[in-house]
Amino acid sequence: MRKLFAQPGFPRLFGGLSTSMLGDSVMLLVLSMWVKTLTGSNAQAGLTFFFVVLPALGAPLLGVWVDRLPRKPILVWGNFASAAAVLPLVLVRDAGDVWLIWAVAFLYGVSFVVLPAAVNGLLKELLPDDLLVDANSGLATIKEGYRLFGPLVGAAVFATAGGWLVAVIDATTFVVAGLLIATIKVTETPAPARSTFREDVLGGVRFLASDRVLRHVLVGLGISILVIGFFESSIYALMDAFGKPATFSGVFVTCQGVGAVIGGLTASRAVRRLGEIATCVLGLTALAAATIVCAAASTIVVVLVGAAICGVGLPWTFVSLTTLMQRRSPTHLIGRVSTAVEVLISTPQAISLALGSLLVSLLSYRQIFAVIATVILLGAVQTFLTLRSEIRQDLAPKVPVLTE
């Protein structure tokens, strides 16, 4: 990590991203919690996350502009725009204003598409390839580490002062992030000559289709994400089953954060030792195991243990995927590849969120969790079987090259 933070510009980028992540951790759970409190509906609360992922369906169009424009200004002005986007929440008063929460959730989703794609591009400009996994692991550790207190802080502020104050806090973190990133000095690689807009839009998708490794990893992950969204609606049904209020979901997410810190701290070591593909498979397996623990739990304590196991699996899965994508993608395509990946991940997630809102009224949370675990394991097995030769190569001892 010392070598990573010695890279010019990275400490300020890390500081800016860490600040905005803090605001995200305080706000995101509050959006669905707010809807649940106003309407009393688990389905409508789960639907909030659907609006967050909906903008990802148009991600390739946004990815074109991420590759055409310098990444640093995108991050600076994108953070300022995100601050403006959350402030309308101060106007929410009753159930008739739920549409406003969903509108902000949608704008949040736009931010989640554009800013990470720009970050991936800027990281490739600032860092050598061998440090990308350390950067991704460090950022994942901070992001997931905020789960230790961010959701609880958000729930506490929401319960005592109201959601308007959470919105102001979140907007402030976006402004601070934009100001920090604005001070980075970086010379970015000029964008290549433009082709037709259609060719530019399809560039990232075509690259992913031609890259066998990324293609199969994304297929396995897509299968898994097709059911992961069921969590968002069923988490409140889980709380109801154990007689806990909606705000107790903050405790669940905090326990998940404990595991995520462990996962984030160990992700870079796992990738270096096992390779990105095997680490992703193990991450998915951990998510399936955590779901089984929660489904079988007879006490809320066991449920929280399952949340911690889930936390370990998340950074292992997504740090390995992000590093694999950054390493295999050319710099001039990284924005479009990132947004294409976003579509391939968010489309099944959007479907699962919408379907989960329906299933929660038809099935028990235990039945839903059983479905989640089964499908995630299928995704992990698919990735392992199709890329087992690459996994074998990653696990093979590295023989040093001798030079005269």
Side-chain angles (χ1 to χ4, degrees), residues 15-16 38 56 82 97 99 166 176 181 201 225 233 295 329 362 384-385:
L38 291 175
S82 298
D97 297 322
W99 69 271
V166 182
V176 173
I181 296 172
V201 169
I225 291 176
S233 296
S329 302
L362 301 176
F384 177 79
L385 293 179

PDB file of all heavy atoms in Angstrom, residues 15-16 38 56 82 97 99 166 176 181 201 225 233 295 329 362 384-385:
ATOM      1  N   GLY A  15      -8.847  10.142  -1.328  1.00  0.00           N
ATOM      2  CA  GLY A  15      -9.541  10.966  -0.345  1.00  0.00           C
ATOM      3  C   GLY A  15     -10.900  11.429  -0.840  1.00  0.00           C
ATOM      4  O   GLY A  15     -11.886  11.410  -0.103  1.00  0.00           O
ATOM      5  N   GLY A  16     -10.960  11.848  -2.117  1.00  0.00           N
ATOM      6  CA  GLY A  16     -12.222  12.299  -2.676  1.00  0.00           C
ATOM      7  C   GLY A  16     -13.242  11.180  -2.766  1.00  0.00           C
ATOM      8  O   GLY A  16     -14.401  11.342  -2.371  1.00  0.00           O
ATOM      9  N   LEU A  38     -42.981   5.675   5.068  1.00  0.00           N
ATOM     10  CA  LEU A  38     -44.102   6.477   4.566  1.00  0.00           C
ATOM     11  C   LEU A  38     -45.279   5.623   4.091  1.00  0.00           C
ATOM     12  O   LEU A  38     -46.434   6.009   4.237  1.00  0.00           O
ATOM     13  CB  LEU A  38     -43.631   7.381   3.419  1.00  0.00           C
ATOM     14  CG  LEU A  38     -42.683   8.524   3.782  1.00  0.00           C
ATOM     15  CD1 LEU A  38     -42.220   9.242   2.519  1.00  0.00           C
ATOM     16  CD2 LEU A  38     -43.341   9.500   4.741  1.00  0.00           C
ATOM     17  N   ALA A  56     -28.661   2.200 -15.465  1.00  0.00           N
ATOM     18  CA  ALA A  56     -27.614   1.358 -16.035  1.00  0.00           C
ATOM     19  C   ALA A  56     -28.028   0.773 -17.375  1.00  0.00           C
ATOM     20  O   ALA A  56     -27.167   0.378 -18.172  1.00  0.00           O
ATOM     21  CB  ALA A  56     -27.261   0.227 -15.070  1.00  0.00           C
ATOM     22  N   SER A  82     -24.109  15.459  -8.552  1.00  0.00           N
ATOM     23  CA  SER A  82     -24.716  14.503  -7.618  1.00  0.00           C
ATOM     24  C   SER A  82     -25.181  15.197  -6.342  1.00  0.00           C
ATOM     25  O   SER A  82     -26.220  14.850  -5.766  1.00  0.00           O
ATOM     26  CB  SER A  82     -23.714  13.393  -7.279  1.00  0.00           C
ATOM     27  OG  SER A  82     -23.356  12.669  -8.438  1.00  0.00           O
ATOM     28  N   ASP A  97     -45.193  12.065  -1.583  1.00  0.00           N
ATOM     29  CA  ASP A  97     -43.905  12.514  -2.111  1.00  0.00           C
ATOM     30  C   ASP A  97     -42.942  11.370  -2.399  1.00  0.00           C
ATOM     31  O   ASP A  97     -41.763  11.608  -2.663  1.00  0.00           O
ATOM     32  CB  ASP A  97     -43.244  13.485  -1.117  1.00  0.00           C
ATOM     33  CG  ASP A  97     -44.052  14.747  -0.898  1.00  0.00           C
ATOM     34  OD1 ASP A  97     -44.642  15.238  -1.880  1.00  0.00           O
ATOM     35  OD2 ASP A  97     -44.099  15.234   0.252  1.00  0.00           O
ATOM     36  N   TRP A  99     -42.700   9.625  -4.948  1.00  0.00           N
ATOM     37  CA  TRP A  99     -42.185   9.766  -6.318  1.00  0.00           C
ATOM     38  C   TRP A  99     -40.893  10.573  -6.333  1.00  0.00           C
ATOM     39  O   TRP A  99     -40.000  10.332  -7.167  1.00  0.00           O
ATOM     40  CB  TRP A  99     -43.229  10.437  -7.219  1.00  0.00           C
ATOM     41  CG  TRP A  99     -43.474  11.886  -6.890  1.00  0.00           C
ATOM     42  CD1 TRP A  99     -44.375  12.393  -6.019  1.00  0.00           C
ATOM     43  CD2 TRP A  99     -42.758  13.008  -7.420  1.00  0.00           C
ATOM     44  NE1 TRP A  99     -44.300  13.762  -5.952  1.00  0.00           N
ATOM     45  CE2 TRP A  99     -43.311  14.171  -6.810  1.00  0.00           C
ATOM     46  CE3 TRP A  99     -41.721  13.157  -8.328  1.00  0.00           C
ATOM     47  CZ2 TRP A  99     -42.847  15.456  -7.088  1.00  0.00           C
ATOM     48  CZ3 TRP A  99     -41.255  14.438  -8.609  1.00  0.00           C
ATOM     49  CH2 TRP A  99     -41.818  15.577  -7.999  1.00  0.00           C
ATOM     50  N   VAL A 166     -30.164  13.946   6.273  1.00  0.00           N
ATOM     51  CA  VAL A 166     -29.338  12.944   5.593  1.00  0.00           C
ATOM     52  C   VAL A 166     -28.981  13.433   4.191  1.00  0.00           C
ATOM     53  O   VAL A 166     -27.842  13.293   3.726  1.00  0.00           O
ATOM     54  CB  VAL A 166     -30.066  11.584   5.511  1.00  0.00           C
ATOM     55  CG1 VAL A 166     -29.179  10.550   4.842  1.00  0.00           C
ATOM     56  CG2 VAL A 166     -30.466  11.098   6.897  1.00  0.00           C
ATOM     57  N   VAL A 176     -17.295  18.053  -1.312  1.00  0.00           N
ATOM     58  CA  VAL A 176     -15.917  17.889  -0.832  1.00  0.00           C
ATOM     59  C   VAL A 176     -15.134  16.981  -1.777  1.00  0.00           C
ATOM     60  O   VAL A 176     -13.964  17.255  -2.113  1.00  0.00           O
ATOM     61  CB  VAL A 176     -15.900  17.332   0.608  1.00  0.00           C
ATOM     62  CG1 VAL A 176     -14.477  16.988   1.036  1.00  0.00           C
ATOM     63  CG2 VAL A 176     -16.522  18.347   1.573  1.00  0.00           C
ATOM     64  N   ILE A 181     -10.761  16.145  -5.856  1.00  0.00           N
ATOM     65  CA  ILE A 181     -10.347  15.586  -7.145  1.00  0.00           C
ATOM     66  C   ILE A 181      -9.904  16.689  -8.096  1.00  0.00           C
ATOM     67  O   ILE A 181      -9.019  16.487  -8.938  1.00  0.00           O
ATOM     68  CB  ILE A 181     -11.492  14.747  -7.750  1.00  0.00           C
ATOM     69  CG1 ILE A 181     -11.770  13.538  -6.851  1.00  0.00           C
ATOM     70  CG2 ILE A 181     -11.147  14.269  -9.163  1.00  0.00           C
ATOM     71  CD1 ILE A 181     -13.003  12.746  -7.225  1.00  0.00           C
ATOM     72  N   VAL A 201     -20.859   3.461 -29.440  1.00  0.00           N
ATOM     73  CA  VAL A 201     -21.744   2.872 -28.434  1.00  0.00           C
ATOM     74  C   VAL A 201     -21.484   1.379 -28.286  1.00  0.00           C
ATOM     75  O   VAL A 201     -21.457   0.838 -27.178  1.00  0.00           O
ATOM     76  CB  VAL A 201     -23.222   3.126 -28.800  1.00  0.00           C
ATOM     77  CG1 VAL A 201     -24.146   2.289 -27.911  1.00  0.00           C
ATOM     78  CG2 VAL A 201     -23.564   4.597 -28.640  1.00  0.00           C
ATOM     79  N   ILE A 225     -26.531 -12.474 -10.266  1.00  0.00           N
ATOM     80  CA  ILE A 225     -27.184 -11.202  -9.967  1.00  0.00           C
ATOM     81  C   ILE A 225     -28.661 -11.244 -10.320  1.00  0.00           C
ATOM     82  O   ILE A 225     -29.452 -10.440  -9.815  1.00  0.00           O
ATOM     83  CB  ILE A 225     -26.454 -10.059 -10.706  1.00  0.00           C
ATOM     84  CG1 ILE A 225     -25.065  -9.873 -10.085  1.00  0.00           C
ATOM     85  CG2 ILE A 225     -27.217  -8.747 -10.623  1.00  0.00           C
ATOM     86  CD1 ILE A 225     -24.207  -8.853 -10.770  1.00  0.00           C
ATOM     87  N   SER A 233     -35.917  -6.597  -1.261  1.00  0.00           N
ATOM     88  CA  SER A 233     -37.314  -6.633  -0.791  1.00  0.00           C
ATOM     89  C   SER A 233     -37.480  -7.575   0.392  1.00  0.00           C
ATOM     90  O   SER A 233     -38.207  -7.270   1.348  1.00  0.00           O
ATOM     91  CB  SER A 233     -38.237  -7.081  -1.928  1.00  0.00           C
ATOM     92  OG  SER A 233     -38.225  -6.152  -2.980  1.00  0.00           O
ATOM     93  N   ALA A 295     -31.173 -18.197   5.652  1.00  0.00           N
ATOM     94  CA  ALA A 295     -32.432 -18.913   5.431  1.00  0.00           C
ATOM     95  C   ALA A 295     -32.696 -19.929   6.531  1.00  0.00           C
ATOM     96  O   ALA A 295     -33.850 -20.158   6.917  1.00  0.00           O
ATOM     97  CB  ALA A 295     -32.399 -19.605   4.071  1.00  0.00           C
ATOM     98  N   SER A 329      -8.722  -4.380 -20.513  1.00  0.00           N
ATOM     99  CA  SER A 329      -9.335  -3.395 -21.407  1.00  0.00           C
ATOM    100  C   SER A 329      -8.320  -2.335 -21.832  1.00  0.00           C
ATOM    101  O   SER A 329      -7.574  -1.817 -20.992  1.00  0.00           O
ATOM    102  CB  SER A 329     -10.509  -2.702 -20.721  1.00  0.00           C
ATOM    103  OG  SER A 329     -11.479  -3.626 -20.304  1.00  0.00           O
ATOM    104  N   LEU A 362     -45.587 -13.287  -2.227  1.00  0.00           N
ATOM    105  CA  LEU A 362     -46.048 -14.628  -2.581  1.00  0.00           C
ATOM    106  C   LEU A 362     -45.335 -15.736  -1.812  1.00  0.00           C
ATOM    107  O   LEU A 362     -45.920 -16.787  -1.542  1.00  0.00           O
ATOM    108  CB  LEU A 362     -45.861 -14.869  -4.091  1.00  0.00           C
ATOM    109  CG  LEU A 362     -46.591 -13.905  -5.035  1.00  0.00           C
ATOM    110  CD1 LEU A 362     -46.214 -14.215  -6.480  1.00  0.00           C
ATOM    111  CD2 LEU A 362     -48.101 -14.003  -4.847  1.00  0.00           C
ATOM    112  N   PHE A 384     -16.576 -21.491 -13.116  1.00  0.00           N
ATOM    113  CA  PHE A 384     -15.494 -22.437 -12.827  1.00  0.00           C
ATOM    114  C   PHE A 384     -15.307 -23.439 -13.965  1.00  0.00           C
ATOM    115  O   PHE A 384     -14.180 -23.708 -14.401  1.00  0.00           O
ATOM    116  CB  PHE A 384     -15.794 -23.176 -11.523  1.00  0.00           C
ATOM    117  CG  PHE A 384     -14.778 -24.229 -11.182  1.00  0.00           C
ATOM    118  CD1 PHE A 384     -13.564 -23.894 -10.631  1.00  0.00           C
ATOM    119  CD2 PHE A 384     -15.044 -25.576 -11.448  1.00  0.00           C
ATOM    120  CE1 PHE A 384     -12.615 -24.867 -10.336  1.00  0.00           C
ATOM    121  CE2 PHE A 384     -14.116 -26.551 -11.153  1.00  0.00           C
ATOM    122  CZ  PHE A 384     -12.892 -26.200 -10.595  1.00  0.00           C
ATOM    123  N   LEU A 385     -16.395 -23.994 -14.460  1.00  0.00           N
ATOM    124  CA  LEU A 385     -16.286 -25.032 -15.484  1.00  0.00           C
ATOM    125  C   LEU A 385     -15.808 -24.483 -16.824  1.00  0.00           C
ATOM    126  O   LEU A 385     -15.007 -25.115 -17.517  1.00  0.00           O
ATOM    127  CB  LEU A 385     -17.637 -25.735 -15.666  1.00  0.00           C
ATOM    128  CG  LEU A 385     -18.119 -26.582 -14.478  1.00  0.00           C
ATOM    129  CD1 LEU A 385     -19.483 -27.203 -14.784  1.00  0.00           C
ATOM    130  CD2 LEU A 385     -17.096 -27.672 -14.135  1.00  0.00           C
TER     131      LEU A 385
END
